[in-house]
Amino acid sequence: MTDIDAPSAPRISAQRADAQRNKQTLLDVAAALFVTSGVEVSVREIAAQAGVGIGTVYRHFPTRADLIIAVYRHQVETCAEAGPVLLARYASPYAALAEWIQLFVDFLATKHGLADVMQPGDPSFDALHRHLLDRLAPVCTAFLDAAVEAGEIRPGIQAYELMRGVGNLCIGAGTDPHYDARRLVDLLIAGLRRVNPHAQVDTGDEPRGEEVCNRPFQSRGNRHPLISRKRG
Amino acid sequence: MTDIDAPSAPRISAQRADAQRNKQTLLDVAAALFVTSGVEVSVREIAAQAGVGIGTVYRHFPTRADLIIAVYRHQVETCAEAGPVLLARYASPYAALAEWIQLFVDFLATKHGLADVMQPGDPSFDALHRHLLDRLAPVCTAFLDAAVEAGEIRPGIQAYELMRGVGNLCIGAGTDPHYDARRLVDLLIAGLRRVNPHAQVDTGDEPRGEEVCNRPFQSRGNRHPLISRKRG
DNA sequence: TTGACAAACGGAACACTGTTCCGTAATGTA
DNA sequence: TACATTACGGAACAGTGTTCCGTTTGTCAA
């Protein structure tokens, strides 16, 4: 996952011409196939479309995930760089955050299956997962810190968690007309909001109904033994 | 996917004794393996642990998803039946909804990888996906309708969409200590809330900052050409 | 131009899925 | 006990990502 783009210690020449050509072809073909068939296209199909052998793919991209990362590297970078710009443009850090999150959602939701594969667990895609979060979570943290300081949102939510939540909400977007990821992300971001900026924080016990909107967020663990481990 | 539990037209006898025994063993073994290894365990491993051949697994459960559905059928049923009970118990439909959603989250989040696999797309798991949503979405609709009528939440959100969103947020829960699905679901549910129950609905153009919390939800499509289809 | 050699290629092979198929074995009835 | 039916077991199939290694090719020095 490290330095896929950079030439590795040019001993004689930078890189053989055919290697450069093949790598570029692979990136182009993969980008095109990701659009038409989703990021789940098999390595074999990418290789075939590019007119190279499977071994060539793995020579340039040690893992399928590395190829995906390389294809979307620029877009992730663009999204990350938009962070400070938006933060400076808006008087309200919350508004800037909402705008930036939409940027991220638009990126994820328009790539078939990208969000599906961005989840951790599958060790093969951990690299992809880490790359996106390592690059974007710090940007998000800036938004959150500013918004908390301005009293616009409740404290206690971490950027990593929020980004993963947004990413998860994007799963399946574009394949199901009855599922609108953007709408749900809006819901999530709205839930972040501290309704009355200078209200007293509610630190009482189990929150109910009316007060649910204004307390800070903390983990609470399982509270419902109603459904326990038991087979049907 | 239809009537896995029910005996299929008992012509001579209900079912052979060894078949009954094997089916029960498979359900028990699968339930145990789902807890220890997650729902991703291979069919071969389940068969081996149960001491039967692979063919036997597929005889009783035409698909891996069918086995998963069968294992969790009772719990899904319990969750569905809890709906009306909670709705009757709380004066606030919103509070009841919040409680019920937590029930659902507790169910999903404690099953390794169940949420991961509940997403559509993979045709093999469409059955699982449909089963959960078909059973639970109507229950959720009752909550939402009541809450909207009581003026507690904004209209415009569909039960199917909300359930899928909650399900998506549960993906990866339990495998990552830095990701708390419950906290994010709380955020999502909080975002549902109409802050001032009898406030005028904001129907202005692009909402910003302060007013973002009280408008109804509608799809808005892509609005950010900043990140477009282009390779890195 | 030619030789030499590292770099790159291609694709068979491996390990792993879920699923199908069919010859064989066990079961319950007459 | 004889027999029809039901169920079993596991090899085989189609698919995946990845590894490995014999062969080809590009490049630079002589």
Side-chain angles (χ1 to χ4, degrees):
Chain A
M1 231 54 37
T2 57
D3 293 334
I4 286 174
D5 290 327
S8 53
R11 259 187 5 113
I12 304 179
S13 79
Q15 194 180 29
R16 257 170 56 172
D18 55 345
Q20 283 185 331
R21 219 183 318 121
N22 280 333
K23 182 169 184 175
Q24 193 54 54
T25 304
L26 278 171
L27 284 169
D28 292 339
V29 165
L33 282 176
F34 288 172
V35 171
T36 57
S37 311
V39 295
E40 313 91 344
V41 281
S42 67
V43 178
R44 276 170 184 78
E45 182 153 345
I46 295 172
Q49 286 282 330
V52 302
I54 302 168
T56 302
V57 179
Y58 280 92
R59 160 160 292 268
H60 292 294
F61 307 100
T63 269
R64 229 180 74 93
D66 291 312
L67 176 55
I68 299 176
I69 292 175
V71 166
Y72 293 127
R73 185 178 285 272
H74 278 182
Q75 296 190 27
V76 173
E77 209 53 38
T78 304
C79 188
E81 287 165 1
V85 177
L86 287 174
L87 203 46
R89 182 183 303 165
Y90 285 93
S92 156
Y94 175 81
L97 169 66
E99 192 82 10
W100 184 73
I101 290 286
Q102 285 300 333
L103 219 58
F104 180 55
V105 171
D106 286 342
F107 164 61
L108 273 186
T110 53
K111 314 286 170 292
H112 296 171
L114 214 208
D116 308 41
V117 114
M118 212 196 73
Q119 58 189 277
D122 188 345
S124 157
F125 285 106
D126 258 18
L128 177 57
H129 179 250
R130 248 200 315 279
H131 169 70
L132 257 85
L133 260 39
D134 282 357
R135 189 67 188 88
L136 298 181
V139 179
C140 186
T141 296
F143 284 112
L144 289 177
D145 287 350
V148 167
E149 182 146 357
E152 292 185 314
I153 67 172
R154 280 172 281 184
I157 188 82
Q158 296 296 311
Y160 170 85
E161 194 164 64
L162 185 61
M163 297 295 293
R164 277 210 47 196
V166 172
N168 275 0
L169 285 179
C170 290
I171 293 176
T175 65
D176 185 346
H178 298 103
Y179 182 75
D180 184 348
R182 276 172 257 270
R183 186 154 44 193
L184 287 167
V185 170
D186 274 353
L187 227 48
L188 191 71
I189 300 301
L192 216 50
R193 197 136 177 68
R194 178 194 294 272
V195 178
N196 182 352
H198 301 293
Q200 180 83 22
V201 165
D202 176 7
T203 53
D205 53 359
E206 193 70 357
R208 282 281 181 275
E210 312 304 324
E211 282 74 26
V212 87
C213 218
N214 241 356
R215 65 203 154 77
F217 277 97
Q218 291 164 7
S219 182
R220 300 162 322 187
N222 292 9
R223 294 149 308 141
H224 284 289
L226 200 156
I227 297 188
S228 59
R229 209 197 76 52
K230 214 173 135 194
R231 196 196 26 69
Chain B
M1 227 50 36
T2 57
D3 294 333
I4 286 174
D5 289 327
S8 54
R11 254 181 19 107
I12 302 182
S13 79
Q15 195 179 28
R16 252 171 61 173
D18 55 346
Q20 283 186 331
R21 219 182 318 121
N22 280 332
K23 181 170 185 175
Q24 192 56 51
T25 303
L26 278 171
L27 283 170
D28 293 340
V29 165
L33 282 177
F34 288 171
V35 170
T36 57
S37 311
V39 295
E40 313 90 345
V41 281
S42 68
V43 177
R44 275 172 184 76
E45 183 153 344
I46 296 172
Q49 286 281 331
V52 302
I54 303 168
T56 302
V57 179
Y58 280 93
R59 160 160 292 270
H60 293 294
F61 308 100
T63 270
R64 230 181 75 92
D66 293 311
L67 176 54
I68 299 176
I69 292 175
V71 166
Y72 292 127
R73 186 177 285 272
H74 277 183
Q75 296 190 27
V76 173
E77 210 52 38
T78 303
C79 188
E81 287 165 1
V85 176
L86 287 174
L87 204 46
R89 182 183 303 166
Y90 285 93
S92 155
Y94 175 81
L97 169 65
E99 192 82 10
W100 183 73
I101 290 285
Q102 285 300 333
L103 218 58
F104 180 54
V105 171
D106 286 342
F107 164 60
L108 273 186
T110 53
K111 315 285 170 293
H112 296 171
L114 213 207
D116 308 43
V117 111
M118 210 197 74
Q119 59 191 275
D122 187 346
S124 158
F125 285 107
D126 258 17
L128 177 57
H129 179 250
R130 247 201 316 278
H131 169 68
L132 256 85
L133 259 39
D134 282 0
R135 188 66 186 92
L136 297 180
V139 179
C140 186
T141 297
F143 283 110
L144 290 177
D145 288 350
V148 167
E149 183 144 359
E152 292 184 314
I153 67 172
R154 278 171 284 184
I157 187 80
Q158 295 296 312
Y160 171 84
E161 195 164 60
L162 184 62
M163 296 296 292
R164 276 210 49 196
V166 171
N168 275 1
L169 285 178
C170 289
I171 292 176
T175 65
D176 185 345
H178 298 103
Y179 183 76
D180 184 348
R182 276 172 258 268
R183 186 154 43 194
L184 286 168
V185 170
D186 275 353
L187 228 48
L188 191 72
I189 300 301
L192 215 51
R193 198 135 177 70
R194 178 194 294 272
V195 179
N196 181 351
H198 300 295
Q200 180 84 21
V201 167
D202 177 6
T203 53
D205 54 0
E206 194 69 358
R208 282 280 181 277
E210 312 303 326
E211 283 73 27
V212 87
C213 219
N214 239 356
R215 64 202 157 79
F217 277 96
Q218 292 163 7
S219 182
R220 300 162 322 187
N222 291 9
R223 291 148 310 141
H224 284 289
L226 199 156
I227 298 188
S228 59
R229 207 196 76 53
K230 213 173 138 193
R231 197 196 23 71

